[in-house]
Amino acid sequence: MLSRVVLATCLGLLLCSCFVSLAEDYLTRALRLMSETPLIDGHNDLPWQLRKQFNNELNKVNLTTLNTTHTNIPKIKEGRLGAQFWSAYVPCDTQYKDAVRQTLEQIDVVHRMCKNYPEDFEFATSMQDILNAFNMNKTASLIGVEGGHSIDSSMATLRTMYQLGRLIAEMNRLGMLIDLSHVTVEVMKQVLDISKAPVIFSHSSAYGVYAHKRNVPDEILKRVNETRGIVMVNFYSDYVTSAQPATISHVADHYDHIKKVAGVDSIGFGGDYDGVTRLPQGLEDVSKVPNLVAELLRRGWTDEEVKKVLGKNLLRVLREAELIRDTLTDVLPDDVPIPYEEVQQNPCRTSYGYKNVADGLSFSPLVLVLIVFTQTWNALTG
């Protein structure tokens, strides 16, 4: 009887040892692939945390020792983050107020972050910039402007923001990626019909796995495949599953589903770190992303498939957007203002430059009544 117990114990230890060894093998393989191909993440809200916690006063922040965020330099190194789209996000309640100013300040903080840590970050605007930064063992830093309110219905503001770091056609002309992560399904369809270049979903998951409105339905996934775009999977627990706590396996289910519906060429990483409050077990911060890569390998993904998802797909999208841009060099910038009736709901917007508008100010009905009353009174008492 004793020998059976000893034998069972030994077998149990042996099986446990084998599982540990396999897990280590997958992680070792994941790290090797990440050393060969840059991990490109579509969305990180560290700049917003810098505003919330430090009012963008970078001199008061040490990104090497910062421990109140999902992201800092040691975590970036451990997570093998090759390139990051930093989000220039400002809240929706800045609309019709100071959204443009605040967005420019968020763009500025990304540039200053790169300047303050030149050994770790390299500002990038193209596919080649990402590869150059990767070869220098730096994290390529790109900027994603999150929210249409950030350009205040202005093509000129869009162009200015592009230089610092209708709309769809102008973004194609600039070689600027179009991100559909926060739009409705109807808008997704419209943009996919119009855009000449591939689009991205910088931080969205699969609706077919978990029916949340921020996720991408299968009909759109198929269109993404047809138009050569990518969906960069979001890690936010509330978008991944109704089960809590969420796990790496739940996130990997989204990768498997998108691969099945849209193909492996249509997938990327879009963690949403520092923009969310709940993350799956094993993906608690930027340093843990290799664990997800290891899980995909455990599920049978090939090395080449993983490399595509890590960064090759996004590099290809960038390159195709640049090629479309190069075919449009003879197209003049779109300088026709967005129709006034589409923007006049903004009480702070003037009407200077618009034809057939009485004067240069946008008045509320109450102000117009007061003007008419004043003019009438002056005529009667004149």
Side-chain angles (χ1 to χ4, degrees):
M1 183 68 178
L2 179 61
S3 63
R4 290 181 180 177
V5 172
V6 172
L7 178 61
T9 302
C10 290
L11 286 173
L13 290 173
L14 181 61
L15 287 171
C16 181
S17 175
C18 288
F19 284 133
V20 171
S21 178
L22 279 173
E24 289 177 348
D25 286 346
Y26 289 129
L27 184 58
T28 300
R29 190 172 149 203
L31 293 174
R32 174 178 61 80
L33 295 174
M34 297 173 84
S35 71
E36 298 169 356
T37 303
L39 163 64
I40 305 174
D41 186 276
H43 193 89
N44 186 300
D45 279 296
L46 179 62
W48 176 242
Q49 294 300 326
L50 295 176
R51 177 181 281 274
K52 281 179 65 179
Q53 298 185 35
F54 306 100
N55 197 32
N56 284 352
E57 295 179 65
L58 286 188
N59 293 332
K60 296 181 178 179
V61 185
N62 186 335
L63 289 183
T64 302
T65 59
L66 179 65
N67 61 8
T68 57
T69 57
H70 298 141
T71 312
N72 62 25
I73 289 172
K75 290 174 182 175
I76 286 171
K77 298 298 184 186
E78 188 176 350
R80 309 299 202 275
L81 183 61
Q84 180 66 69
F85 283 83
W86 302 106
S87 176
Y89 163 78
V90 297
C92 292
D93 60 12
T94 62
Q95 188 171 19
Y96 306 147
K97 298 172 186 173
D98 56 355
V100 173
R101 175 183 64 80
Q102 290 203 33
T103 302
L104 291 174
E105 289 174 355
Q106 294 310 103
I107 292 173
D108 172 70
V109 82
V110 175
H111 281 282
R112 288 191 288 125
M113 190 171 76
C114 294
K115 184 177 180 180
N116 287 6
Y117 300 91
E119 299 302 314
D120 303 297
F121 300 122
E122 183 78 10
F123 190 74
T125 61
S126 69
M127 179 197 74
Q128 191 58 50
D129 287 348
I130 293 175
L131 294 175
N132 291 344
F134 184 66
N135 290 332
M136 293 186 289
N137 198 30
K138 298 182 183 182
T139 298
S141 296
L142 303 94
I143 298 175
V145 176
E146 184 175 13
H149 58 289
S150 290
I151 65 169
D152 193 25
S153 303
S154 165
M155 295 289 194
T157 302
L158 175 76
R159 287 191 287 272
T160 300
M161 286 184 177
Y162 178 77
Q163 290 159 5
L164 294 173
R166 253 89 266 256
L167 195 60
I168 305 306
E170 187 66 1
M171 293 177 78
N172 284 170
R173 191 187 68 82
L174 291 168
M176 197 173 189
L177 293 185
I178 299 167
D179 180 2
L180 300 180
S181 268
H182 279 276
V183 306
T184 65
V185 172
E186 191 57 38
V187 173
M188 294 176 192
K189 293 177 181 177
Q190 291 173 358
V191 174
L192 288 166
D193 286 341
I194 296 170
S195 180
K196 293 182 173 68
V199 305
I200 68 169
F201 290 78
S202 66
H203 56 309
S204 295
S205 299
Y207 191 89
V209 176
Y210 182 54
H212 190 286
K213 64 181 180 181
R214 276 284 278 101
N215 293 337
V216 186
D218 286 0
E219 61 173 320
I220 299 298
L221 288 178
K222 293 173 183 175
R223 291 290 313 280
V224 170
N225 169 270
E226 293 166 1
T227 55
R228 297 179 57 75
I230 61 170
V231 175
M232 308 175 85
V233 176
N234 194 317
F235 300 167
Y236 183 28
S237 295
D238 290 14
Y239 297 165
V240 169
T241 179
S242 58
Q244 296 299 332
T247 66
I248 285 180
S249 183
H250 289 124
V251 178
D253 290 343
H254 288 264
Y255 283 84
D256 282 344
H257 183 82
I258 298 171
K259 179 183 173 184
K260 178 181 178 181
V261 174
V264 72
D265 293 335
S266 303
I267 318 171
F269 285 78
D272 210 358
Y273 284 113
D274 282 306
V276 299
T277 53
R278 285 175 293 281
L279 288 156
Q281 292 178 341
L283 286 172
E284 292 86 356
D285 59 53
V286 173
S287 71
K288 303 298 187 359
V289 177
N291 294 335
L292 176 57
V293 180
E295 171 64 13
L296 296 180
L297 292 170
R298 188 191 69 78
R299 292 182 175 213
W301 289 51
T302 67
D303 287 8
E304 184 55 30
E305 287 174 335
V306 167
K307 284 185 173 184
K308 285 185 175 184
V309 175
L310 281 172
K312 284 188 173 182
N313 288 341
L314 192 281
L315 291 172
R316 186 255 310 156
V317 168
L318 274 172
R319 182 56 184 149
E320 292 189 16
E322 291 165 5
L323 290 172
I324 292 295
R325 174 202 63 196
D326 294 344
T327 67
L328 299 173
T329 53
D330 294 333
V331 177
L332 295 174
D334 185 350
D335 58 2
V336 178
I338 293 173
Y340 185 65
E341 59 271 16
E342 295 181 18
V343 299
Q344 64 179 338
Q345 66 271 24
N346 176 354
C348 299
R349 177 180 278 269
T350 65
S351 59
Y352 292 114
Y354 284 93
K355 295 180 179 180
N356 304 319
V357 177
D359 48 54
L361 295 174
S362 175
F363 295 114
S364 69
L366 176 60
V367 174
L368 290 173
V369 168
L370 288 173
I371 290 172
V372 172
F373 175 80
T374 302
Q375 292 173 339
T376 304
W377 176 258
N378 288 339
L380 290 173
T381 60

